Amino acid sequence: MATVGISNPKSRLRLLLLEEHGIGEDPTVWEMDYDGGALPGDPRHTPEKLHKWLTSKKICPCEPRKMAETDLARKMEELSRSNRELEQFAYVASHDLREPLRMVATYTQLLAERYRGKLDRNADQYMEYATDGALRMQALIQDLLELSRVGREGGKKQSIDCDAVLEEVLRDMSSSIRDSGAIIQHEKLPAVTADRCYLLQLFQNLIGNAIKFRAKAPLEISVAAEAEGKYWRFTISDNGIGIAPDCQENIFTVFQRLHARTEYPGNGIGLAICKKIVEQYGGKIWVDSKPGTGSQFKFTLPAGQPCEQGAS
Amino acid sequence: MQGAPEILVVDDNPADAVLVRESLAETSHQSHIYSVTDATEALAYLRRQRKYQMTARPDLVILDLNLVHRDGHKFLTVIKSDSGLRQIPVVVFSSSESLSDITRSYLLGANCYVSKPADLKRYFSAVRAIEEFWFGYASLPKKENDERSSCARIAD
Ligand SMILES: Nc1ncnc2c1ncn2[C@@H]1O[C@H](COP(=O)(O)OP(=O)(O)OP(=O)(O)O)[C@@H](O)[C@H]1O
Ligand SMILES: [Mg+2]
């Protein structure tokens, strides 16, 4: 049983056959000239019935498979173009907004500094709000800029040893690791095909989160990797506060966070960046978590050449 | 160094020039600050053309890159290839943090590159550090036209 969707732009008739199970998956598009005659009333037809109707009308479905492919290719092209435009927009907006915003931020600060206590109490409060707002906006724009940079600058595709990357991240974060008392274990990690800078960012964000969202119990973090076809699946586990099931998807959206900033600092950009990095290489990122028990962040990246063979 | 330092600020945003002035208002160097908003005006100032015939040659130029037409780099090229001007130290003071802007500035002969901090306190301390370094620690070349510059000082 198939659903038949019908659209009729002018005299061109397009019939879309969508399999009942996989709507949206590889639709078969039949496109043909249409004489304007009446269409069968019921929008739902079996392909056989439709065929019969088409033949009775002397309409000959033209190479459905090929139509589908060109249609899909066109859609993809459209999509990637609008995607590019969005990236460009985000970059330009965040870049060009920075200057005027710097003026707002510095001058409200200057006002507050010069006139604090010289106007009335309300005025002091207002200036503080204005300064706070400007500074927050600056931080958000900085983050947006960072996010739009990933992808726009098209990361390299090199075989990178994740073991070395993780070591570097742990070294960079050594003071916050020490302060949190975290115990971090990892097995030997494989090489993947990606950009070294992006990998640093990826591990840094995930391990940074594990440290930030820790619970009372002594923090334990582990990093492991498992082969999954041509990909490696990495798992970064912690025993922190965990994430409620209904929030596990949207934390990967930009600026989505589950706590007040006073509770845990941050803007909610880290995971959005991770997602963008991973997806750029055809990978996926997701989380398995139980509130109060801990989280396991998982992501996949295409395998690189094993580092013993002298890949760089 | 004799007399108060002369600093030329080249920045298309007058609000930024005010911030530089504010930063240095209460320091011990009592620098004289002059500001212009575009490259043409800055060159006229340095070459003492037009209304700038009596002005002192600055001891330091503080240059923003984002002038109209993004002229900052061009301006830098011009003064660093002018034998009469290239000994004047130029501090690029720009909101750009991009590595390409930084590298390019040094290649063109900038004496130092400082990114404008977004936070007021850091902005103030950056400008004060620039002043303190160039006029408290660094030794500067002798100005060729000391006579004229002292005239200028009497004049204003
Ligand atoms: N390891 C973790 N344990 C529990 N919750 C987490 C963990 N990692 C992320 N989260 C939740 O997902 C949200 C989004 O994470 P994300 O890294 O995007 O933002 P952030 O860390 O809050 O801010 P930023 O990364 O901008 O500093 C967090 O605010 C937090 O609620
Ligand atoms: Mg984070």
Side-chain angles (χ1 to χ4, degrees):
Chain A
M1 181 69 160
T3 304
V4 184
I6 295 167
S7 71
N8 179 18
K10 292 273 164 54
S11 67
R12 202 107 178 108
L13 174 68
R14 292 173 66 208
L15 301 165
L16 221 54
L17 295 181
L18 304 170
E19 291 303 331
E20 199 91 292
H21 316 287
I23 288 203
E25 274 173 24
D26 193 16
T28 311
V29 180
W30 295 10
E31 198 164 333
M32 64 216 68
D33 290 323
Y34 174 49
D35 61 358
L39 289 169
D42 188 355
R44 295 170 71 90
H45 290 274
T46 59
E48 297 76 45
K49 247 183 159 177
L50 188 77
H51 249 290
K52 233 170 155 182
W53 176 77
L54 287 169
T55 345
S56 79
K57 284 279 182 192
K58 296 207 174 66
I59 302 173
C60 170
C62 54
E63 298 175 68
R65 172 65 47 186
K66 207 169 154 215
M67 275 333 288
E69 274 161 14
T70 51
D71 206 58
L72 218 64
R74 200 169 57 225
K75 284 246 159 56
M76 293 281 282
E77 170 58 29
E78 255 167 45
L79 216 78
S80 80
R81 187 175 43 79
S82 83
N83 218 11
R84 271 200 306 276
E85 274 169 13
L86 257 172
E87 303 264 309
Q88 189 69 14
F89 171 78
Y91 179 76
V92 169
S94 40
H95 199 260
D96 291 358
L97 281 176
R98 263 158 50 122
E99 266 303 286
L101 189 58
R102 187 173 61 80
M103 282 297 116
V104 175
T106 32
Y107 273 94
T108 45
Q109 280 176 286
L110 189 58
L111 262 179
E113 191 160 286
R114 293 288 153 83
Y115 297 96
R116 189 174 296 121
K118 296 197 176 128
L119 306 170
D120 61 18
R121 289 239 321 267
N122 279 343
D124 286 355
Q125 183 84 94
Y126 298 164
M127 288 189 291
E128 205 171 295
Y129 290 155
T131 314
D132 265 12
L135 292 180
R136 283 239 344 96
M137 191 152 158
Q138 256 170 354
L140 293 180
I141 283 184
Q142 191 62 39
D143 284 345
L144 269 185
L145 204 56
E146 187 59 39
L147 183 66
S148 81
R149 208 168 274 150
V150 177
R152 197 174 43 83
E153 282 172 7
K156 296 189 201 108
K157 282 188 183 171
Q158 291 175 327
S159 181
I160 307 287
D161 174 20
C162 287
D163 224 39
V165 169
L166 183 63
E167 287 300 336
E168 187 170 340
V169 167
L170 295 182
R171 214 165 31 238
D172 284 350
M173 302 180 81
S174 60
S175 72
S176 67
I177 292 171
R178 205 176 326 113
D179 294 348
S180 65
I183 296 170
I184 303 184
Q185 292 183 323
H186 68 95
E187 46 187 61
K188 180 127 185 59
L189 298 180
V192 296
T193 303
D195 185 309
R196 213 181 76 89
C197 294
Y198 287 168
L199 288 176
L200 284 168
Q201 250 179 317
L202 183 63
F203 280 103
Q204 191 150 22
N205 280 329
L206 293 174
I207 290 175
N209 281 349
I211 292 175
K212 179 160 46 168
F213 301 103
R214 63 183 182 271
K216 291 255 155 51
L219 176 58
E220 286 171 26
I221 301 172
S222 67
V223 185
E226 233 177 294
E228 193 182 274
K230 287 182 176 161
Y231 281 70
W232 285 99
R233 188 179 68 231
F234 291 79
T235 306
I236 298 184
S237 316
D238 65 52
N239 58 346
I241 61 173
I243 300 159
D246 57 336
C247 301
Q248 292 178 5
E249 212 160 304
N250 53 20
I251 52 171
F252 294 95
T253 312
V254 64
F255 298 148
Q256 287 285 332
R257 22 195 353 260
L258 309 174
H259 309 276
R261 205 159 292 103
T262 46
E263 225 179 325
Y264 297 97
N267 291 333
I269 195 84
L271 290 178
I273 289 180
C274 291
K275 184 172 153 79
K276 215 163 163 194
I277 291 174
V278 168
E279 288 182 351
Q280 189 175 345
Y281 296 101
K284 289 198 180 93
I285 184 168
W286 69 101
V287 65
D288 291 334
S289 177
K290 247 209 198 130
T293 309
S295 311
Q296 295 188 307
F297 279 85
K298 303 189 177 191
F299 62 87
T300 56
L301 281 175
Q305 289 138 27
C307 42
E308 295 85 58
Q309 288 171 18
S312 73
Chain B
M1 143 163 261
Q2 63 176 106
E6 305 276 344
I7 301 177
L8 176 65
V9 175
V10 188
D11 198 313
D12 67 331
N13 183 358
D16 256 306
V18 170
L19 281 181
V20 172
R21 239 176 249 282
E22 288 282 349
S23 312
L24 301 181
E26 278 152 29
T27 64
S28 59
H29 294 286
Q30 300 189 305
S31 301
H32 291 182
I33 295 158
Y34 201 90
S35 57
V36 293
T37 53
D38 65 57
T40 320
E41 205 63 15
L43 277 179
Y45 186 100
L46 291 174
R47 293 179 171 149
R48 297 198 182 115
Q49 293 157 345
R50 294 183 299 171
K51 64 176 173 178
Y52 301 112
Q53 282 172 21
M54 296 304 284
T55 53
R57 174 155 292 184
D59 301 290
L60 182 73
V61 174
I62 294 182
L63 170 69
D64 178 28
L65 290 179
N66 287 313
L67 302 178
V68 192
H69 313 306
R70 286 196 51 88
D71 256 359
H73 286 298
K74 219 187 285 165
F75 174 75
L76 198 53
T77 315
V78 173
I79 64 168
K80 286 302 178 186
S81 46
D82 181 323
S83 59
L85 300 177
R86 69 161 155 252
Q87 75 274 26
I88 304 173
V90 176
V91 172
V92 174
F93 192 44
S94 163
S95 55
S96 164
E97 285 164 17
S98 95
L99 195 58
S100 70
D101 277 339
I102 296 169
T103 312
R104 193 146 162 244
S105 299
Y106 282 110
L107 282 176
L108 294 176
N111 300 79
C112 159
Y113 191 110
V114 179
S115 294
K116 285 178 186 168
D119 174 78
L120 182 71
K121 287 213 173 67
R122 288 186 50 77
Y123 191 104
F124 277 9
S125 60
V127 178
R128 285 174 192 151
I130 292 170
E131 187 195 46
E132 183 58 22
F133 174 76
W134 286 103
F135 303 113
Y137 292 92
S139 304
L140 297 175
K142 190 170 148 41
K143 284 198 272 190
E144 337 135 15
N145 285 323
D146 269 340
E147 256 170 69
R148 268 223 259 180
S149 55
S150 53
C151 283
R153 220 163 278 140
I154 293 161
D156 71 24

